[in-house]
Amino acid sequence: MDLASFITSVLTSFVIFVALVLVFTWLSRRPGNAPVYYPNLLLRGLDPWEGRGRGTRSPVGWIRDAISASEPDVVAASGVDAAVYLVFLSSVLSILVYSGIVLLPVLLPVAATGGALVVIPPNPNNSSQSTQDFSPIERLGVGNVPERSMRLWAFLLSVYWVSFVTYFVLWKSYKHVSNLRATARSTPDVKPEEFAVLVRDIPRPSPDETIKDFVDSYFRALHPNTFYRSMVVTDHTKADKIYQEIEGHKLKIARAEAVYANSKTESNPEGTKPTHRIGFLGLIGKKVDTIEYCSEQIKELLPKLEAEQKTTLHEKQQRAAIVVFNSRSAAASASQILHAQVYDKWTVMEAPEPCQILWPNLPRNLYERQIRQSVVYVIVFLIVFFYMVPIAAIAAVTTLENLEKKLPFLKVVVEQSAIKTVLEAYLPQIALIVFLALLPTLLMFLSKQEGIPSQSHAVRAASGKYFYFIVFNVFLCYTLGSTLFKSLTTILDHPSEIVDMLAKSLPGSATFFLTFVALKFFVGYGLELSRLVPLIIFHLKRKYLCKTEDDVKAAWAPGDLGYNTRVPNDMLIATVVLCYSVIAPLIIPFGVAYFALGWLIAKNQLRELRTNVATHAHEDHHGSDGLPDYHDRLHPLKKFNYAPVLVPLLPISIIFAYVCHMRFYPAFAKTPLEVVAQHDLKESPNMEAIYTSYIPPCLKPEKLEDLDAFEDAQSHTTSRAPSV
Amino acid sequence: MDLASFITSVLTSFVIFVALVLVFTWLSRRPGNAPVYYPNLLLRGLDPWEGRGRGTRSPVGWIRDAISASEPDVVAASGVDAAVYLVFLSSVLSILVYSGIVLLPVLLPVAATGGALVVIPPNPNNSSQSTQDFSPIERLGVGNVPERSMRLWAFLLSVYWVSFVTYFVLWKSYKHVSNLRATARSTPDVKPEEFAVLVRDIPRPSPDETIKDFVDSYFRALHPNTFYRSMVVTDHTKADKIYQEIEGHKLKIARAEAVYANSKTESNPEGTKPTHRIGFLGLIGKKVDTIEYCSEQIKELLPKLEAEQKTTLHEKQQRAAIVVFNSRSAAASASQILHAQVYDKWTVMEAPEPCQILWPNLPRNLYERQIRQSVVYVIVFLIVFFYMVPIAAIAAVTTLENLEKKLPFLKVVVEQSAIKTVLEAYLPQIALIVFLALLPTLLMFLSKQEGIPSQSHAVRAASGKYFYFIVFNVFLCYTLGSTLFKSLTTILDHPSEIVDMLAKSLPGSATFFLTFVALKFFVGYGLELSRLVPLIIFHLKRKYLCKTEDDVKAAWAPGDLGYNTRVPNDMLIATVVLCYSVIAPLIIPFGVAYFALGWLIAKNQLRELRTNVATHAHEDHHGSDGLPDYHDRLHPLKKFNYAPVLVPLLPISIIFAYVCHMRFYPAFAKTPLEVVAQHDLKESPNMEAIYTSYIPPCLKPEKLEDLDAFEDAQSHTTSRAPSV
């Protein structure tokens, strides 16, 4: 890739970005778009323009807003994970800034004057190897330094600098996150999941005992002073179906009433009652008055639901339960203690948030979970491995020189300079990005099949899989794939030269990743910021689908940040930038821009958008731990007599990762007693409300007072919460 | 090795064994030897001959006694570990018996008529390979079956049979042990370690607070209802030194008084007061009256001790503590819960038995423990690896043919048939056994350096290291070493033939191990049973050293079974026998004999001897888990087209080991709540006694009522044990 196409690429990206920012500024000032840009303010009943002045809506305005938002604000608006995600972004940013301050002024001059890439004589013994052209960008990397030159010392010491900066920043971030989580956990707000544990693998009870009695007597015996009540998980698929049907009818009535009210114009004061057909998709069958028909249906379904609720609670008890305790410490303790003598019985764990529970996964037993997990891992391994093949092919073929060489008839098209420049700049990157868009849904589905009990854990699992996928496929395979293809003939002749080849060609991939980061940065964040896609969808929905106020609200209700792909993508960029930071220091400014803007936008969105994905960001740091290692693996490839100087970094990195893991991870996985114990004596929570929040909506009786009637899968209170 | 020397070896061993049994029968009938043979009966105040008749002391008699002893008897006499050890022996025995029932009648005829070893034509391309002689023993193994013969099917199916027998027996043993431990744990006897936890990595308290206050306030806050009292670990080396000095003087007084009493004969009714010199080793210096001098010394030392006790408790508090709870469940819970937000503070674990505590290891912090462990592992790795070199050399050189070849001047000696036979039979085995005797002490020392808090855990750790050592060195290296040496020249010429060579030579090592097992069995157990060495030592001590009754008691006080070498040795034999069971089925009867007799002798000793090494035998089964794997690794070496038939055994073995580990191990490592909870409400233990048992002897005040005066490192009672 020559300088022209690189500059074209970056410039085009930048123009698109500026355009998108302008679009955002313009669109966000229009009151009709407010729900898309300021949903959280609306949810809290505030007018986004009130008390701020229109000036704050300018690009400068929102940047000021984003920077001034404090961490507690973010936690309050969007939860701990959002805050942890911001810490992750700002950590990478700090690492890059500290690295850049030293690396850019030192390495760029050293590399630029190295001169190794100016003269490369064609190998006289091997006529197939042609003289290569090198762009000015490549001349700014380590590739331009001659072998065995003393200039390489600068690069070696840079690796140490980057590594120690990484250790320092990561250690501080770990401490920060650890405190953040502890602070969030020790707030006095009552969260139901803090008082409950999930019990699985309940043994088969004796025939004259229900599972519920069995659970009750077991936990009452083991936790006589702290056991509050238990709720056995039931198979409520059928009840849920009826419940959803009723809800559907209710929605239809609400919509029909809105349509009916709108139809009452002056010319037609009675209005027209909406009707629909009851056959297939509302297209065939008898025409009925919607409101009347649906009300009748609801009346018919309600007793059915109640009957089904009773049957479910009586007869469809499953071998899993939510056990509620009367204090946070008791629940935290119970979730960490081994209960039964064999591990495949009475396994306990912290209860998921009520709204996050994946009910079908709860009753799966230990062995089923293990088998499902193994099968899913094998499938994911296959996906990771076989996706590599087409990606490597694309990366190798889409270099225009290669295309021309292999397919000479394309020459007519690609020789035209304008087309050539655009194609060269974007073709490989776009192919890659499109390819990657297909995967997250599949990984999410697979993660749910593992038997994970909560949605948020499934997101975390999917995110981990996605990270391995993109690191392996995008990062490693592009680098190696293009290298191998370029030099295929040489390798076939001299297999032993492969290591030399890798060392020589690695710096060449730097330009690709430079462009990749720039594209991700300008276009990706531009779209993100302008929210063009959600805006269009919102307006379409509002025009054609929404009948009631609730419908409109649902149309602009913000989703989460999309952690399952967002975090791995950021991790990939971080990995790429850190790896190439020494090889091609020019990548650092792009990385800094990416994470700086990413941090601003995420903060802006998190302040404005609601997200309720639970804790998972701590796994991100695990990935970051691995980063320093890459340096060690990539660098010694460069021929240099002093390369052993880098060897100590490998054990240091491993020890650092081990110590961090040992010190901080237990508290990420389990609730430390000292964090939850402090509020236990000060308050007496509403245990009934905690308990009720775990009843699935389809099993909730219409009136809450009837709750005690549904006691078959639920146990009576046996002890009170400690009073003040 | 030819048939004659093998038979000589086995016969000699057998004669020695019979002799030792006869010696045992004769010696154990003599009343003077009773303390050596029946110490437990004496300890319990019983006369070993009373109510039994002398008939029971015949060989048949003690076998009947040993068999009739029930498991609860063993647990009562020697603890759970002893019982677990017996289960281990009987499990291996069952595996071998079930295997032998099928393998011996099937494989021996198949192998004997195979005929591959009768005619081996010398390789015409390789003149250095000579025609080998094969003994009838080798003809009874798989080595005698021709390549690609259908007879090999019998051997393949045998591998399956042995594997499934192993799974079946191991699964039953796991269940048995699991129940055994649960039963033992849920007895109502009050054991102090069940009420306490060990706390380490206590953070530095604020300057105006002692560590003791810090621990108290922390645990009182987190466990307000169950915390009883804490005892901070102190550095009591100095106090202990004074205490030992006082005890030494007390012992001297007791001895001197006994000597004095004996000296009062009729001719000298006053007796002679014993004297000694106070200089170096009692050889120089002033002569003093022992009783007077020692009494004075004690009088001088006592106030010193008291002062040192106070200083120790005040000023030498260390950052570790024993925290006592008022119920078993509370202690079990506390030991399993994460307390602090970072893992390197306030780490908790189950408390060791008071008498097992290794005090110097308690205050070591997490990072120190990790570093020590890593260093010890590296050292052990080096030991395992470099001990191999001399052993391999010995195994290779001590084959007489080799010796003769390499050192022709020996020919004169070894050509004499009698010497030759004996040397051939025993030389390699004796070299090996002597070699192995040097190691256990070193491994025990290293294990203690790891920072393990209790003696019994250190024994377990040493035992594990020893097992890896002997498996690697004895089993693998002998097999490979002798093979390599034998064929060194061939390998140098044709390096690619090494796999073929291994496959061909492996069956050859069978004879060595056959002899090895026989020797271990006859001579080892003969010595064990006859207790000749302890008997001699006892009589020597009684004659020359013992002055008082207590001295005599100390002389015959039985030690433990020596688990740290005994268990790994048994494991080695089990590994060897199981590995060769299919290759050379003749080894099975020897294995059966070894474990049958081992079980009898262990039961006999455990019934009679007291052992108080705590729980560790569950690690043994871990090793056994690995056994089926060996089959998979060794067998495919044999050239046979159907060998892939064995491939499924590898995953099956891994899955079996994984399932066993998952199901049973958590309860071996942690105390399950359901096991300890049942007695908590029924009793109110003597908390003061539990607490006191953790005070090291040198810090115990002379009168126990003074206990509360020493409250500096010990906290006041804050809560009562639950009353009935």
Side-chain angles (χ1 to χ4, degrees), chain A residues 79-94:
Chain A
V80 188
D81 316 312
V84 172
Y85 176 59
L86 288 181
V87 172
F88 160 65
L89 292 178
S90 64
S91 308
V92 179
L93 186 60
S94 315

Side-chain angles (χ1 to χ4, degrees), chain A residues 74-285:
Chain A
V74 173
V75 173
S78 312
V80 188
D81 316 312
V84 172
Y85 176 59
L86 288 181
V87 172
F88 160 65
L89 292 178
S90 64
S91 308
V92 179
L93 186 60
S94 315
I95 295 173
L96 292 180
V97 168
Y98 288 132
S99 304
I101 288 173
V102 171
L103 264 59
L104 288 178
V106 172
L107 293 190
L108 287 185
V110 169
T113 57
L117 294 185
V118 180
V119 197
I120 287 215
N123 189 337
N125 305 325
N126 184 354
S127 56
S128 73
Q129 195 178 358
S130 62
T131 316
Q132 279 179 277
D133 281 337
F134 295 97
S135 73
I137 302 136
E138 278 165 0
R139 289 217 185 89
L140 288 176
V142 75
N144 198 29
V145 178
E147 281 171 19
R148 297 198 179 73
S149 155
M150 281 320 234
R151 287 163 191 262
L152 284 173
W153 272 107
F155 289 88
L156 286 184
L157 293 179
S158 301
V159 175
Y160 271 91
W161 172 251
V162 172
S163 299
F164 284 109
V165 161
T166 308
Y167 303 150
F168 174 74
V169 173
L170 276 185
W171 185 261
K172 281 188 63 178
S173 306
Y174 267 119
K175 269 175 125 164
H176 187 131
V177 168
S178 179
N179 290 329
L180 195 70
R181 294 169 64 90
T183 316
R185 253 183 198 152
S186 57
T187 50
D189 321 348
V190 173
K191 290 173 204 143
E193 66 272 19
E194 290 180 343
F195 289 84
V197 300
L198 169 61
V199 183
R200 306 212 266 182
D201 308 302
I202 298 170
R204 208 173 287 282
S206 59
D208 55 335
E209 207 179 16
T210 64
I211 294 178
K212 178 224 143 203
D213 295 337
F214 194 33
V215 173
D216 276 11
S217 62
Y218 188 80
F219 277 89
R220 202 171 284 138
L222 296 190
H223 303 277
N225 304 313
T226 53
F227 173 75
Y228 174 71
R229 224 171 154 180
S230 73
M231 193 194 71
V232 167
V233 172
T234 53
D235 176 13
H236 52 258
T237 349
K238 213 172 154 192
D240 199 48
K241 215 178 141 194
I242 303 175
Y243 175 77
Q244 294 302 344
E245 227 173 305
I246 293 177
E247 290 296 302
H249 286 307
K250 279 184 184 163
L251 194 67
K252 268 189 192 163
I253 292 177
R255 282 188 187 157
E257 271 167 357
V259 173
Y260 182 44
N262 282 340
S263 71
K264 284 181 190 163
T265 54
E266 277 180 17
S267 59
N268 179 8
E270 281 301 295
T272 357
K273 286 208 164 181
T275 58
H276 72 281
R277 291 174 192 276
I278 56 170
F280 176 73
L281 280 180
L283 296 176
I284 50 167

Side-chain angles (χ1 to χ4, degrees), chain B residues 43-321:
Chain B
L43 278 179
R44 277 177 278 168
L46 299 173
D47 179 347
W49 288 270
E50 195 178 280
R52 292 184 174 216
R54 292 178 75 99
T56 58
R57 303 265 56 86
S58 70
V60 181
W62 70 255
I63 291 177
R64 205 167 47 213
D65 280 4
I67 291 178
S68 65
S70 74
E71 199 160 65
D73 290 352
V74 173
V75 174
S78 313
V80 188
D81 317 312
V84 173
Y85 176 61
L86 288 180
V87 171
F88 160 68
L89 291 178
S90 64
S91 307
V92 179
L93 185 60
S94 315
I95 294 173
L96 292 180
V97 168
Y98 288 132
S99 304
I101 287 173
V102 171
L103 264 58
L104 288 178
V106 173
L107 293 189
L108 287 186
V110 169
T113 56
L117 294 186
V118 179
V119 197
I120 288 214
N123 191 338
N125 305 326
N126 183 355
S127 56
S128 73
Q129 197 178 359
S130 62
T131 315
Q132 280 180 271
D133 279 339
F134 295 97
S135 73
I137 301 136
E138 279 164 1
R139 290 218 184 89
L140 288 176
V142 75
N144 197 28
V145 178
E147 283 173 18
R148 297 199 177 73
S149 153
M150 282 320 239
R151 285 163 191 262
L152 284 173
W153 272 109
F155 288 88
L156 286 184
L157 293 180
S158 301
V159 175
Y160 270 91
W161 172 252
V162 172
S163 298
F164 284 109
V165 161
T166 309
Y167 303 150
F168 174 74
V169 173
L170 276 185
W171 185 259
K172 281 187 64 178
S173 306
Y174 267 119
K175 269 174 125 164
H176 188 131
V177 169
S178 179
N179 290 329
L180 195 69
R181 294 171 63 91
T183 316
R185 252 183 197 152
S186 57
T187 50
D189 320 348
V190 173
K191 290 173 204 143
E193 65 271 18
E194 289 180 342
F195 289 83
V197 302
L198 170 61
V199 183
R200 305 212 266 182
D201 307 302
I202 298 171
R204 207 173 287 282
S206 57
D208 55 333
E209 208 180 14
T210 64
I211 295 178
K212 176 224 144 204
D213 295 337
F214 194 33
V215 172
D216 276 12
S217 62
Y218 188 81
F219 277 90
R220 203 171 283 136
L222 296 189
H223 303 276
N225 305 312
T226 52
F227 174 74
Y228 173 71
R229 225 171 154 179
S230 74
M231 193 194 72
V232 168
V233 172
T234 53
D235 176 11
H236 53 258
T237 350
K238 213 173 153 192
D240 199 48
K241 216 180 139 194
I242 303 175
Y243 175 78
Q244 295 301 343
E245 227 173 303
I246 294 177
E247 291 295 303
H249 286 306
K250 281 186 184 162
L251 196 66
K252 270 190 191 164
I253 293 178
R255 281 187 188 158
E257 270 168 356
V259 172
Y260 183 44
N262 282 340
S263 70
K264 286 183 189 161
T265 52
E266 276 179 18
S267 58
N268 179 8
E270 282 299 295
T272 355
K273 285 206 165 184
T275 56
H276 73 281
R277 291 176 191 274
I278 56 171
F280 177 72
L281 280 180
L283 297 176
I284 51 167
K286 213 178 76 181
K287 214 173 193 178
V288 290
D289 178 326
T290 305
I291 298 176
E292 263 173 40
Y293 174 77
C294 288
S295 308
E296 260 165 44
Q297 288 286 318
I298 290 177
K299 257 179 225 156
E300 261 175 47
L301 284 171
L302 269 181
K304 258 198 197 171
L305 177 64
E306 263 179 50
E308 182 55 37
Q309 283 178 344
K310 263 184 199 148
T311 328
T312 306
L313 294 172
H314 268 289
E315 287 153 27
K316 295 186 181 169
Q317 298 184 9
Q318 308 251 310
R319 281 151 73 188

Side-chain angles (χ1 to χ4, degrees), chain B residues 671-685:
Chain B
T671 307
L673 200 55
E674 67 175 24
V675 168
V676 288
Q678 49 186 311
H679 284 285
D680 269 345
L681 290 176
K682 293 185 198 143
E683 43 160 346
S684 135

Side-chain angles (χ1 to χ4, degrees), chain A residues 87-88 91 170 173-174 177 617-625 665:
Chain A
V87 172
F88 160 65
S91 308
L170 276 185
S173 306
Y174 267 119
V177 168
H618 58 259
E619 282 213 329
D620 315 339
H621 279 82
H622 181 54
S624 307
D625 270 0
Y665 277 69

Side-chain angles (χ1 to χ4, degrees), chain A residues 538-560:
Chain A
F538 166 66
H539 281 291
L540 285 177
K541 269 194 184 166
R542 190 163 65 170
K543 188 128 194 189
Y544 299 106
L545 289 172
C546 298
K547 299 288 189 324
T548 64
E549 267 302 299
D550 281 346
D551 282 357
V552 177
K553 247 185 199 162
W556 57 254
D560 62 39

